[in-house]
Amino acid sequence: MLLFYVVMLVFVVLLMPNAHENFDPFLNIMFTVIFLVLIFFYFLKRRRYIKNWLRFDFIFIIGYFIVHFQSPLLYSIGLDYEVIPHPWVNIEVVNYATWLSLLAILFWFMGTASVSEKKYYLLSKVERNNVFVDRLSPMIDKVIVISFALFIIVAGGALFSGTYDGGRSWGAGAGYFYLLLTFSIYLRTIYFVLSLEKETGIKQTIKSLMTNKVYVVSLLFFVLMFLSVGDRGPVISVVLLFFILYGLYVKPFSFKTVIISIVVAALLMTILGLGRTRIAEDLGSQGIIARGYTALISSNETVIPSAELASSNRILFAALDNVPERYPYLYGKSFVVNFSSALPIPGVTKLYTDLLEIPKYQTTTTHYFTYILIGANPTWGAGSEVVADVYVNFGVLGIPIVFFLFGLVCARYSFASEHCGKHVKVSFIIVYAGLVVNALSINRGMLLYPLMPIFYMLTLYWFLKIFKSSFRNL
């Protein structure tokens, strides 16, 4: 398989366009076709080892296609009227941006192909004695209840106002409790799914849920609370984690089921997005779903559910147009900040930025692109994009290296978690869970997004294990 990717790499390099040139519809369609060929052979190979279709790589690749290829493809056939003609976009960089996106994902495929899935598949067939025996669920439930209560107390007024502002009105204290709450729910979801037997039916699953009342009530309240204001990110993450782990360890999902579910979920998320508001006066008497549905049917334009996700590609266009001609490379600064801020150690990031005198707009690529596109005193953020995130830090030559390494990491933890089941270390599943909850958002954000949930869940897991062991020895 690696040889196939090397041959495709030679072909892709030969098709390399100029950094600035007239938009070529045929070239962009060809890049998309090549990407589709790559994913066809990738999934064809994986089909030999795994039957479940709801997993990290499938969601990540769908998100990657939407962000990096949907707009160039639709514009090439005359159906895109928002992303490519956007004021931020210099259309002369689109050919190169699509090619660079193809190059990046090709090296990701090469990274995954460098890890032997067959080894993990055969390892899963070996009978072992070690099984999942950790019994930390009651302790995690207590953490969830406490963090949920503190979060609501601190952020309650802003949280239940019915308006969406991305959490900016919560305050710093609420933000920390939100992180603890979210990652506790993630960890508890892992423990719940791992407690289910293979091929457990719906009735048995519901029965198990009823014996985990604290977890179920907390999860439902968490989901409904954020859906009520249209904050879709936390909901998508926890739902993805639950069902992906369920598909891996309990009952696999077919390709047809996954596609239908994705379409339905995308439509629902679109309605929620149309129905949310940042101004309290616009709430009216309708609920968020009713407002969104009204906006959807009254729209004079064709509403594409994936349009908002696809719009993130304009950040890559802007990055290629502005860096390094108008603004300098970051030379890894934001990657170090992302890594240090993901550590559950207060003050590390500030120490690093103060020591090197790094201005705030260079601490993350979300800040950097906001500074480039909106200015020094923004009232909202421009966001980021995964290929652009790597590009402004390490340049074009850094993209193949970083994405190859990312592919290695994804394959190692994916193959181990997906094949070895409950025999794999919980820490491996936690890393996989960190990838899962960011499977979509990583494409429209920063490459190191998964680090924070991974580090926090690992810290909480190890802390609870040590605490339980110490308490038992008293």
Side-chain angles (χ1 to χ4, degrees), residues 13-325:
V13 170
L14 291 176
L15 290 175
M16 177 181 176
N18 295 319
H20 288 79
E21 63 180 29
N22 292 330
F23 180 82
D24 188 337
F26 177 77
L27 196 59
N28 281 272
I29 292 173
M30 182 178 293
F31 292 152
T32 305
V33 171
I34 293 173
F35 175 69
L36 294 176
V37 170
L38 289 173
I39 64 174
F40 173 78
F41 281 99
Y42 171 79
F43 286 124
L44 186 64
K45 181 190 176 186
R46 289 227 62 198
R47 184 64 175 161
R48 292 162 52 190
Y49 300 106
I50 187 168
K51 304 303 179 184
N52 176 58
W53 280 92
L54 188 57
R55 53 184 198 263
F56 162 74
D57 59 355
F58 189 76
I59 301 299
F60 170 72
I61 289 173
I62 287 179
Y64 196 92
F65 170 79
I66 292 172
V67 170
H68 298 92
F69 294 95
Q70 176 178 301
S71 293
L73 176 63
L74 294 183
Y75 188 74
S76 297
I77 58 179
L79 295 178
D80 182 276
Y81 303 103
E82 293 185 4
V83 178
I84 305 297
H86 195 272
W88 290 351
V89 177
N90 177 359
I91 196 170
E92 293 182 350
V93 306
V94 174
N95 293 344
Y96 189 73
T98 310
W99 174 84
L100 194 61
S101 300
L102 178 61
L103 183 71
I105 198 64
L106 177 54
F107 272 90
W108 185 86
F109 284 128
M110 292 175 70
T112 63
S114 301
V115 178
S116 173
E117 182 171 10
K118 183 178 180 180
K119 180 186 74 173
Y120 289 101
Y121 177 75
L122 294 176
L123 193 63
S124 67
K125 303 299 180 183
V126 178
E127 191 68 29
R128 298 186 180 189
N129 294 321
N130 59 311
V131 294
F132 178 73
V133 294
D134 286 333
R135 301 187 186 280
L136 299 180
S137 296
M139 297 179 69
I140 302 174
D141 285 341
K142 291 180 175 62
V143 175
I144 291 174
V145 171
I146 293 171
S147 57
F148 220 144
L150 292 172
F151 173 58
I152 291 175
I153 289 172
V154 177
L159 187 65
F160 296 105
S161 64
T163 59
Y164 170 78
D165 66 356
R168 286 186 290 274
S169 61
W170 295 350
Y176 289 119
F177 295 134
Y178 165 76
L179 290 178
L180 181 59
L181 169 64
T182 304
F183 301 145
S184 299
I185 289 178
Y186 291 165
L187 190 59
R188 185 64 174 85
T189 300
I190 294 172
Y191 271 78
F192 173 75
V193 176
L194 291 180
S195 70
L196 299 175
E197 296 295 331
K198 192 73 174 175
E199 297 296 330
T200 299
I202 295 177
K203 289 184 179 180
Q204 289 81 5
T205 302
I206 294 175
K207 186 177 180 180
S208 297
L209 285 169
M210 291 302 99
T211 60
N212 291 268
K213 294 182 177 61
V214 174
Y215 166 65
V216 173
V217 171
S218 300
L219 182 62
L220 287 176
F221 191 64
F222 181 87
V223 170
L224 293 174
M225 181 175 63
F226 285 103
L227 284 182
S228 67
V229 295
D231 194 351
R232 299 163 295 177
V235 177
I236 291 173
S237 295
V238 74
V239 170
L240 269 180
L241 180 61
F242 183 93
F243 284 104
I244 284 179
L245 293 181
Y246 188 89
L248 291 177
Y249 299 129
V250 183
K251 207 165 189 176
F253 292 99
S254 67
F255 179 79
K256 179 181 178 181
T257 300
V258 172
I259 294 299
I260 293 175
S261 300
I262 288 175
V263 171
V264 173
L267 181 59
L268 177 59
M269 292 299 109
T270 300
I271 291 174
L272 289 170
L274 293 172
R276 68 187 183 185
T277 178
R278 299 174 186 271
I279 304 173
E281 287 74 12
D282 293 340
L283 287 174
S285 59
Q286 291 182 314
I288 185 171
I289 294 180
R291 292 197 305 270
Y293 179 73
T294 301
L296 179 65
I297 61 175
S298 61
S299 176
N300 295 323
E301 300 178 357
T302 301
V303 177
I304 302 176
S306 56
E308 185 178 348
L309 183 61
S311 67
S312 300
N313 204 16
R314 64 175 66 130
I315 299 295
L316 175 58
F317 301 148
L320 292 172
D321 192 39
N322 287 281
V323 179
E325 285 77 11

Side-chain angles (χ1 to χ4, degrees), residues 324-470:
E325 285 77 11
R326 300 180 183 89
Y327 299 91
Y329 289 118
L330 295 180
Y331 298 105
K333 292 177 186 175
S334 73
F335 267 57
V336 177
V337 171
N338 288 160
F339 182 86
S340 62
S341 61
L343 296 171
I345 306 173
V348 175
T349 302
K350 189 176 188 307
L351 180 65
Y352 167 73
T353 54
D354 289 349
L355 186 64
L356 297 183
E357 298 182 346
I358 300 174
K360 183 179 179 180
Y361 72 89
Q362 291 187 2
T363 55
T364 67
T365 50
T366 55
H367 289 146
Y368 196 46
F369 293 130
T370 298
Y371 177 81
I372 291 174
L373 297 170
I374 302 174
N377 299 298
T379 56
W380 54 284
S384 188
E385 193 272 349
V386 66
V387 176
D389 178 53
V390 178
Y391 169 75
V392 297
N393 275 281
F394 306 110
V396 173
L397 294 180
I399 288 177
I401 298 172
V402 172
F403 271 84
F404 179 83
L405 295 175
F406 182 51
L408 282 174
V409 172
C410 291
R412 172 173 167 76
Y413 288 96
S414 294
F415 296 166
S417 300
E418 292 166 2
H419 290 303
C420 296
K422 298 175 185 179
H423 298 293
V424 74
K425 293 180 180 179
V426 177
S427 58
F428 269 63
I429 302 177
I430 287 175
V431 174
Y432 183 71
L435 293 171
V436 166
V437 297
N438 289 282
L440 278 177
S441 59
I442 195 174
N443 286 295
R444 60 179 307 181
M446 296 175 285
L447 187 68
L448 299 186
Y449 265 171
L451 284 185
M452 182 172 284
I454 289 171
F455 285 169
Y456 272 75
M457 280 192 287
L458 285 174
T459 301
L460 181 60
Y461 166 67
W462 288 327
F463 174 79
L464 292 179
K465 283 198 72 173
I466 293 171
F467 182 82
K468 182 181 178 181
S469 177
S470 300

